[in-house]
């Protein structure tokens, strides 16, 4: 009988293929004591295993295609750095010596101590970095135990078209899966914000994480269906189910191909309203993707990737080079560069001893952090100002909550510009400076901000989080995360109106902008600029081009006054 298991889809798409199960987590670690005489040979065993692990990882790194983003290599470098770190060798050797125990046991003790340190961290993103420790330790354990490293299992084209099931996967595994034609994956653990998930999205591999117990219920080589869009794994499918998913898969492929015809078409509603469809860029891979889907610009360049997986910060030149390559690919289209939005669930290489906040999403995050940490902020600001000489650049300030922050950034930009002028460095003196409206304080007082800014960008991911008071990375309150919450809708409408009154452009770059269930409602509320991941942009254009704005405006505005939840639901249903 067919069964289905549920998890969190990290990328879109359906794959049908045979399962290959990677048993990786349950290494059978034998613990035993060694004699004084065996000390030297046991230490050598450990060193050789570490050396082999480094060789394996370097080989994986060398196989990354040249045109793949540097960030992917950086993930592997993180593991290489750990292997080179004294914590893995000197400390583990010390444990062997002090406890007279075998290398596997010493490594396990070392792993447990490090894992505990990660578990104790308040920062959700940093806690997920424990995966790196697990990965590196199990890699060495496997070699010690003569297990085939995972890379050998997914190496070559042996598993082409198959679906990999694992307890967890690493960023380097994700690169290899893509290279070797693996159709999809599902893992027992992991979260949608882990590096592996982020890479899977960028590389376009259908994948589901958090499918608890998947390897218990599936047999090797069993035919599986992965519906990553819905986060469902279907096993033992009967003919009818298989036919259903094959149709769904074919339909999606046809739909994507048919959407491609829209690439060069203008985004214009049936009644002639021109709509600006821009792309969100999270990774260097997205630069080209944004161009390929015919985005009219980049509405949000999340620059946080420049700071991830490293202990230092990018300098001015590194920022500048990254902006230059995006501007070059976009070839004259506007590029909106957001200053760093580190903190909360986003990576932040904390110095030892830095206080970890109890409520990081309400703490020193985004522009607050920038204004507090000159070494992070000024190199980026200078690079953005210099990049403005290369093409149409807009600077975007994340998480504005007071007008003072906006005024301070504008003053800082002017200071950098006059410094550039003194040093004969080119820049665009008219570079627009805009603000993310993603904190209720800014949305409620958008009319106060509008005269000081050149544009608004509504960040619904955070606006929803802060308005309804739900942590956007906390599973337990996910059910409350509702873009159609009346309070959220009123804040969005108020922001659009405040921008219109001041005649400044307003866009939306949160996930709501790319979700076609809300497109008509947003058009009805007056939104004309959407920014979303390139993979969603053509679907969005399709809906825009089939909408008659004049017919949805009245209902959209009426929704803002409809306090009866049932009536509101009925009304919103007419706008889908
Ligand atoms: C948002 O909050 O909607 C947004 C686009 O920013 P981020 O998701 O990077 O916080
Ligand atoms: Mg945000």
């Amino acid at each position: 009988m067919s069964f289905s298991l549920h998890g969190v889809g990290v990328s879109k798409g359906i794959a049908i293929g045979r399962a290959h199960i990677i048993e990786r987590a349950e290494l059978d670690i034998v613990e035993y004591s060694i004699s004084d005489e065996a000390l030297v040979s046991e230490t050598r065993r450990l060193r050789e295993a570490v050396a082999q692990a480094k060789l394996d990882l370097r080989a994986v790194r060398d196989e990354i295609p040249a045109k793949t983003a540097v960030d992917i290599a950086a993930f592997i470098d993180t593991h290489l750095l750990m292997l080179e770190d004294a914590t893995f060798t000197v400390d583990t050797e010390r444990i062997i010596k002090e406890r007279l125990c075998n290398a596997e046991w010493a490594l396990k003790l070392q792993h447990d101590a490090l894992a505990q340190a990660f578990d104790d961290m308040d920062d959700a993103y940093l806690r997920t970095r424990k995966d790196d420790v697990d990965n590196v330790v199990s890699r060495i354990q496997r070699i010690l135990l003569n297990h085939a490293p995972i890379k050998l299992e997914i190496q070559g084209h042996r598993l082409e078209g198959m679906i990999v099931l694992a307890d967890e996967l690493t960023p380097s595994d994700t690169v290899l899966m893509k290279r070797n034609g693996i159709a999809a994956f599902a893992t027992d653990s992991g979260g949608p914000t882990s590096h592996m998930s982020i890479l899977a999205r960028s590389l376009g591999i259908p994948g589901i994480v958090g499918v608890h117990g998947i390897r218990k219920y599936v047999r090797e080589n069993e035919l599986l269906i992965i519906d990553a869009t819905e986060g469902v794994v279907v096993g033992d499918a009967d003919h009818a189910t298989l036919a259903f998913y094959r149709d769904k898969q074919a339909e999606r492929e046809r739909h994507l191909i048919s959407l491609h015809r829209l690439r060069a078409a203008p985004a214009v509603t049936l009644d002639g309203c021109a709509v600006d469809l821009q792309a969100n860029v999270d990774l260097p891979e997205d630069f080209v993707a944004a161009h390929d889907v015919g985005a009219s610009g980049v509405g949000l360049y999340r620059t946080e990737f420049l700071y991830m997986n490293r202990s230092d910060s990018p300098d001015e030149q590194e920022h500048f080079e990254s902006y230059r390559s995006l501007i070059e690919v976009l070839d004259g289209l506007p590029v909106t560069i957001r200053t760093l939005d580190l903190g909360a669930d986003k990576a932040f290489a904390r110095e030892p001893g830095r206080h970890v906040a109890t409520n990081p999403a309400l703490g020193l995050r985004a522009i607050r952090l920038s204004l507090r940490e000159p070494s992070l902020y000024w190199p980026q600001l200078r690079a953005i100002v210099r990049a403005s000489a290369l093409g149409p650049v807009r600077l975007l300030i994340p998480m504005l909550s007071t007008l003072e922050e906006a005024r301070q950034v504008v003053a800082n930009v002017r200071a950098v510009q006059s410094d550039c002028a003194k040093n004969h460095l080119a820049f665009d003196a008219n570079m627009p400076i805009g603000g993310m409206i993603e904190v209720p304080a800014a949305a409620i007082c958008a009319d106060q901000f509008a005269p000081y800014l050149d544009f608004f960008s509504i960040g619904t991911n955070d606006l929803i989080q802060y308005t309804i008071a739900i942590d956007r990375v906390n599973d337990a309150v996910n059910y409350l995360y509702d873009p159609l919450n009346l309070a959220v809708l009123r804040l969005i409408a108020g922001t659009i109106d405040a921008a219109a009154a001041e005649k400044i452009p307003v866009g939306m770059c949160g996930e709501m902008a790319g979700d076609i269930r809300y497109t008509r409602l947003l058009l009805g509320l007056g939104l004309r600029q959407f920014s979303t991941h390139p993979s969603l942009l053509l679907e969005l254009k399709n809906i825009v081009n089939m909408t008659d704005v004049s017919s949805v405006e009245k209902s959209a505005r009426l929704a803002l006054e409809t306090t009866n939840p049932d009536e509101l639901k009925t009304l919103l249903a007419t706008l889908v």
Side-chain angles (χ1 to χ4, degrees):
M1 202 178 70
S2 75
F3 63 88
S4 61
L5 300 166
H6 298 252
V8 183
V10 297
S11 44
K12 286 202 168 188
I14 292 172
I16 301 174
R18 305 228 161 246
H20 175 68
I21 301 171
I22 293 180
E23 295 292 350
R24 190 158 92 123
E26 286 116 39
L27 290 176
D28 202 5
I29 306 297
V30 189
E31 299 172 0
Y32 54 89
S33 299
I34 56 165
S35 63
D36 276 335
E37 292 76 49
L39 197 58
V40 174
S41 63
E42 197 60 19
T43 308
R44 194 185 319 120
R45 260 188 87 226
L46 174 72
R47 285 186 193 166
E48 283 172 4
V50 172
Q52 181 62 48
K54 281 192 228 171
L55 279 177
D56 290 350
L57 267 182
R58 284 198 191 108
V60 175
R61 195 184 188 289
D62 291 345
E63 284 161 7
I64 297 174
K67 65 177 173 37
T68 310
V70 277
D71 295 280
I72 294 178
F75 292 134
I76 297 168
D77 284 343
T78 309
H79 292 179
L80 273 168
L81 277 174
M82 277 195 201
L83 282 168
E84 274 149 18
D85 192 280
T87 319
F88 277 102
T89 48
V90 179
D91 284 8
T92 314
E93 283 178 24
R94 185 179 45 74
I95 295 174
I96 296 176
K97 199 166 156 199
E98 281 174 10
R99 298 200 176 213
L100 285 179
C101 62
N102 63 323
E104 291 90 328
W105 190 359
L107 261 172
K108 183 171 176 288
L109 293 170
Q110 182 61 6
H111 166 268
D112 293 349
L114 286 169
Q116 187 60 50
F118 276 92
D119 278 343
D120 290 344
M121 290 175 182
D122 281 341
D123 186 306
Y125 180 81
L126 285 180
R127 271 200 309 276
T128 68
R129 311 315 303 140
K130 191 181 83 167
D131 296 353
D132 292 328
V133 180
D134 296 346
N135 172 263
V136 168
V137 169
S138 75
R139 194 176 277 277
I140 307 169
Q141 301 275 32
R142 273 182 170 268
I143 294 167
L144 285 166
L145 294 167
N146 282 334
H147 276 254
I150 191 166
K151 95 173 185 78
L152 293 183
E153 291 196 56
I154 53 179
Q155 191 67 282
H157 290 271
R158 194 171 59 89
L159 300 180
E160 196 165 323
M162 291 188 87
I163 293 169
V164 162
L165 306 182
D167 174 44
E168 58 181 358
L169 291 163
T170 67
S172 60
D173 296 334
T174 316
V175 175
L176 282 178
M177 286 196 295
K178 177 73 183 172
R179 251 195 84 131
N180 297 324
I182 283 162
F185 67 86
T187 60
D188 266 276
S189 53
T193 60
S194 74
H195 279 149
M196 190 277 296
S197 301
I198 294 168
L199 278 183
R201 263 197 294 280
S202 279
L203 295 168
I205 310 174
I208 307 178
V209 297
V211 195
H212 304 295
I214 176 130
R215 290 167 309 144
K216 272 200 297 228
Y217 301 111
V218 175
R219 292 179 311 275
E220 178 71 19
N221 222 30
E222 180 174 338
L223 193 65
L224 280 188
I225 300 165
I226 295 277
D227 183 347
T229 313
E230 301 295 333
V232 184
V233 182
V234 182
D236 220 355
D238 53 28
H239 283 306
T241 311
L242 269 173
F244 170 78
Y245 277 100
R246 284 204 172 106
D247 280 355
K248 210 171 154 187
Q249 193 181 31
E251 191 185 299
R252 184 172 159 76
E253 272 157 28
R254 273 197 306 274
H255 180 57
L256 291 179
I257 291 169
S258 77
L259 285 178
H260 213 71
R261 81 195 133 77
L262 292 176
R263 191 199 164 277
V268 184
T269 64
L270 291 174
D271 48 343
C273 296
V275 178
D276 203 3
L277 298 184
Q278 303 192 333
N280 285 356
V281 159
D282 304 331
L283 271 176
E285 277 92 336
D286 299 330
F287 295 4
V288 175
H291 175 265
D292 286 353
V293 293
S296 58
V298 165
L300 170 65
Y301 176 26
R302 286 188 170 99
T303 56
E304 292 78 52
F305 267 86
L306 294 165
Y307 295 81
M308 286 185 183
N309 291 302
R310 56 194 290 172
S311 52
D312 60 345
S313 310
D315 61 14
E316 181 182 326
Q317 196 55 26
E318 195 176 338
H319 276 290
F320 181 73
E321 293 305 336
S322 163
Y323 308 152
R324 186 219 296 270
S325 46
L326 177 57
I327 292 163
E328 278 173 8
V329 174
L330 268 284
D331 196 20
L333 295 173
V335 170
T336 311
I337 305 173
R338 183 172 73 180
T339 61
L340 63 92
D341 183 7
L342 296 177
D345 61 315
K346 297 203 183 104
F348 181 22
R350 291 169 200 280
E351 296 132 34
R354 179 188 283 276
H355 170 68
V356 177
T358 315
N359 290 311
L362 303 181
L364 204 57
R365 187 193 150 183
I367 194 59
R368 302 171 182 184
L369 179 67
S370 289
L371 295 175
R372 182 71 73 87
E373 300 264 355
S375 63
L376 290 175
Y377 174 55
W378 287 94
Q380 178 168 39
L381 211 57
R382 284 183 59 86
I384 296 174
V385 168
R386 284 174 52 210
S388 70
L390 308 175
V393 166
R394 309 195 306 167
L395 181 145
L396 179 59
I397 313 166
M399 209 193 167
L400 280 177
S401 51
T402 69
L403 184 59
E404 194 38 50
E405 289 161 339
R407 289 162 76 160
Q408 197 171 334
V409 176
V410 174
N412 296 154
V413 170
R414 300 293 170 245
V416 171
Q417 288 173 333
S418 73
D419 193 52
C420 284
K422 268 189 223 132
N423 290 296
H424 309 291
L425 292 170
F427 63 91
D428 171 13
N430 297 317
M431 174 181 72
I433 303 173
M436 294 278 298
I437 303 297
E438 51 184 349
V439 173
I444 292 166
C445 293
D447 56 342
Q448 186 191 29
F449 284 81
Y452 294 89
L453 292 167
D454 298 314
F455 66 96
F456 284 161
S457 185
I458 306 173
T460 47
N461 306 340
D462 279 314
L463 187 62
I464 296 167
Q465 146 164 279
Y466 294 129
T467 305
I468 316 179
I470 35 161
D471 186 343
R472 67 192 249 198
V473 297
N474 183 341
D475 277 6
V477 288
N478 255 350
Y479 71 100
L480 287 169
Y481 198 91
D482 180 13
L484 298 180
N485 179 295
L486 186 56
V488 173
L489 294 184
R490 286 183 178 174
L491 292 181
I492 291 172
T495 305
I496 294 171
D497 295 346
E502 194 62 32
K503 297 194 173 48
I504 60 168
V506 54
M508 179 180 284
C509 61
E511 296 304 298
M512 189 178 181
D515 192 327
I516 55 173
R517 287 172 301 176
Y518 312 126
T519 312
R520 290 200 163 108
L521 168 66
L522 294 171
L523 285 168
L525 291 176
L527 192 75
R528 297 289 180 270
Q529 214 177 73
F530 297 68
S531 189
T532 187
H533 191 269
S535 59
L536 303 172
L537 197 132
L538 292 176
E539 237 156 358
L540 193 57
K541 192 186 280 188
N542 195 30
I543 297 291
V544 166
N545 290 1
M546 293 191 309
T547 301
D548 182 11
V549 175
S550 61
S551 74
V552 289
E553 265 167 348
K554 204 160 151 241
S555 306
R557 286 286 155 180
L558 191 61
L560 301 175
E561 307 309 323
T562 308
T563 49
N564 177 316
D566 295 330
E567 280 174 27
L568 180 61
K569 220 171 150 190
T570 314
L571 187 60
L572 291 172
T574 66
L575 293 170
V576 176

